[in-house]
Amino acid sequence: MRPRARGFHLVTDEIVGQLDALTKINIGILNLFIQHTSASLTINENADPTVRADLESHINQAVPENAAYYLHNYEGSDDMPAHIKASVFGSNLTIPIQNGRLALGTWQGIYLGEHRNHGGERCVIATITGL
Amino acid sequence: MRPRARGFHLVTDEIVGQLDALTKINIGILNLFIQHTSASLTINENADPTVRADLESHINQAVPENAAYYLHNYEGSDDMPAHIKASVFGSNLTIPIQNGRLALGTWQGIYLGEHRNHGGERCVIATITGL
Amino acid sequence: MRPRARGFHLVTDEIVGQLDALTKINIGILNLFIQHTSASLTINENADPTVRADLESHINQAVPENAAYYLHNYEGSDDMPAHIKASVFGSNLTIPIQNGRLALGTWQGIYLGEHRNHGGERCVIATITGL
């Protein structure tokens, strides 16, 4: 996925747009897995962008930079917090597929959590199980 | 699933009771996915109800209502905290199936995390992979 | 898995070393599920051990022992915090398989989070889907 600013980003369309095989699945599971330890995947509201902003504000407060107990900081003050956030939100999602479409709720979207200040491109592996 | 009060609820029996197909699977995976952004699914202790109470007490303290930095609050003070909790605990679970039963540990149960004061009915999609 | 000290442990090799079937899968998913409510599975950096140390330091600070609101404490001060950490980090992982190998990113490894002071042996169920 293309580089994004630190924070949470709605990426449902970018992901679904690359999964032509999805339309051929009547029932199944889409597994998404991000191959990084300083970014995450999560599900949250697809409508109001303030949800993404507030999620970022909250996690920055809950997982502070420059905590006195951090030993791992040679890549900068956003380094260790990014690792922690990656584990709190997780690196994989399993989303049901029904009738050729993701069975997301009305208000659900897929979020990419970019936890580095300059994370660059991120690689997400999509694997479809089903028939 | 029927409406529940805010907090964590043990729902293993309610879910398994609706999955007749489970008994026909020798080995596989049950994927559970909640179609909401203010409720969550997680695994925790199935015995002492104080675990559910303490999990709720802790997360209310860790994700406070009325934080000064919240922009998304037009549905009430429980709105944005519910979104954050949904991402911290997650919206999907993948539980192994062995010999027609969920391969949960002795002390494990499936929790529904209801993070709104009045969340109403919640929809959980169950998808079974296996043979 | 053999007993480990409280904290986070890199267990990729221990897990993969027991999964001979992995090499026969061209494309698929490895589902890992830990059958306990006071330990967790997560993905994080496989290189610098200070990431594991800092993750433990952070979560001990975020989920304190002896919080005034804990009701569930008859197994000791590490009891309820361990349950909370298990739900924050999660009990299952779904990792893609490509060409007979886990498709982990360069810097990714599988962590076992041992959240009890004396957790003992831990049971992780591995289920492979694919062909």
Side-chain angles (χ1 to χ4, degrees):
Chain A
M1 312 193 77
R2 63 178 169 79
R4 283 179 163 87
R6 177 167 156 177
F8 291 87
H9 304 272
L10 188 61
V11 295
T12 318
D13 291 348
E14 183 174 340
I15 287 175
V16 171
Q18 295 179 64
L19 297 177
D20 294 341
L22 209 57
T23 58
K24 295 168 198 145
I25 304 293
N26 279 316
I27 185 159
I29 298 290
L30 169 64
N31 189 74
L32 296 174
F33 183 85
I34 192 162
Q35 287 188 305
H36 305 270
T37 61
S38 56
S40 63
L41 295 172
T42 190
I43 301 278
N44 221 305
E45 198 196 277
N46 60 19
D48 187 345
T50 60
V51 173
R52 274 104 80 189
D54 286 2
L55 194 53
E56 174 70 6
S57 296
H58 170 78
I59 203 67
N60 286 338
Q61 185 265 346
V63 184
E65 301 197 3
N66 303 308
Y69 49 80
Y70 290 155
L71 305 172
H72 180 88
N73 53 20
Y74 53 84
E75 282 185 32
S77 64
D78 61 325
D79 183 2
M80 192 59 217
H83 287 300
I84 297 170
K85 294 168 187 176
S87 276
V88 167
F89 293 113
S91 43
N92 61 282
L93 293 172
T94 50
I95 305 172
I97 305 167
Q98 292 183 342
N99 305 318
R101 300 181 57 177
L102 294 185
L104 293 166
T106 308
W107 300 101
Q108 287 184 310
I110 303 168
Y111 281 20
L112 170 71
E114 174 54 73
H115 304 307
R116 295 304 305 268
N117 293 334
H118 304 286
E121 288 191 359
R122 297 300 195 173
C123 188
V124 173
I125 296 183
T127 310
I128 293 173
T129 309
L131 44 85
Chain B
M1 311 194 76
R2 61 179 170 79
R4 283 178 164 86
R6 175 166 157 177
F8 291 87
H9 303 272
L10 188 60
V11 294
T12 318
D13 290 349
E14 183 174 341
I15 287 175
V16 171
Q18 295 179 65
L19 297 177
D20 294 341
L22 208 58
T23 58
K24 295 168 198 143
I25 305 293
N26 279 315
I27 184 159
I29 298 290
L30 169 64
N31 189 75
L32 296 175
F33 183 85
I34 192 162
Q35 287 187 305
H36 305 271
T37 62
S38 56
S40 62
L41 295 172
T42 190
I43 300 278
N44 222 304
E45 198 194 278
N46 60 18
D48 187 346
T50 60
V51 173
R52 274 104 78 190
D54 286 2
L55 195 52
E56 175 70 5
S57 298
H58 170 76
I59 203 66
N60 286 339
Q61 185 265 347
V63 183
E65 300 197 2
N66 303 310
Y69 48 80
Y70 291 155
L71 304 172
H72 181 89
N73 52 19
Y74 54 84
E75 281 186 32
S77 64
D78 61 326
D79 182 2
M80 190 59 216
H83 287 299
I84 296 171
K85 294 168 187 176
S87 276
V88 167
F89 293 114
S91 44
N92 62 284
L93 293 173
T94 51
I95 304 172
I97 305 167
Q98 292 183 342
N99 305 316
R101 301 181 55 178
L102 293 185
L104 293 166
T106 307
W107 301 101
Q108 287 184 311
I110 303 168
Y111 280 20
L112 169 72
E114 174 54 73
H115 304 308
R116 295 302 307 264
N117 292 336
H118 304 285
E121 288 192 358
R122 298 301 196 173
C123 189
V124 174
I125 296 184
T127 310
I128 293 172
T129 309
L131 45 86
Chain C
M1 311 193 75
R2 62 179 169 79
R4 284 179 163 86
R6 176 167 157 176
F8 291 88
H9 303 274
L10 188 60
V11 294
T12 318
D13 290 348
E14 183 174 342
I15 287 175
V16 171
Q18 295 179 66
L19 297 177
D20 294 340
L22 209 58
T23 59
K24 295 169 198 143
I25 304 294
N26 279 315
I27 186 159
I29 298 289
L30 170 63
N31 189 74
L32 295 175
F33 183 85
I34 193 163
Q35 286 187 306
H36 305 272
T37 61
S38 56
S40 63
L41 295 171
T42 190
I43 300 277
N44 221 304
E45 197 195 277
N46 59 20
D48 188 345
T50 59
V51 173
R52 273 103 82 189
D54 287 2
L55 194 53
E56 175 70 5
S57 297
H58 170 77
I59 202 67
N60 285 338
Q61 184 265 345
V63 184
E65 301 198 3
N66 303 309
Y69 48 79
Y70 291 155
L71 304 172
H72 181 88
N73 53 19
Y74 54 83
E75 282 186 31
S77 64
D78 61 326
D79 182 1
M80 191 59 217
H83 288 300
I84 296 171
K85 295 169 188 176
S87 276
V88 168
F89 293 114
S91 45
N92 62 283
L93 293 173
T94 51
I95 304 172
I97 305 168
Q98 293 183 341
N99 305 317
R101 301 181 54 179
L102 293 185
L104 292 166
T106 308
W107 300 102
Q108 286 184 311
I110 303 168
Y111 281 20
L112 169 71
E114 173 54 73
H115 304 308
R116 295 302 307 265
N117 293 335
H118 304 286
E121 289 191 357
R122 297 301 195 173
C123 190
V124 173
I125 297 183
T127 310
I128 293 172
T129 309
L131 45 86

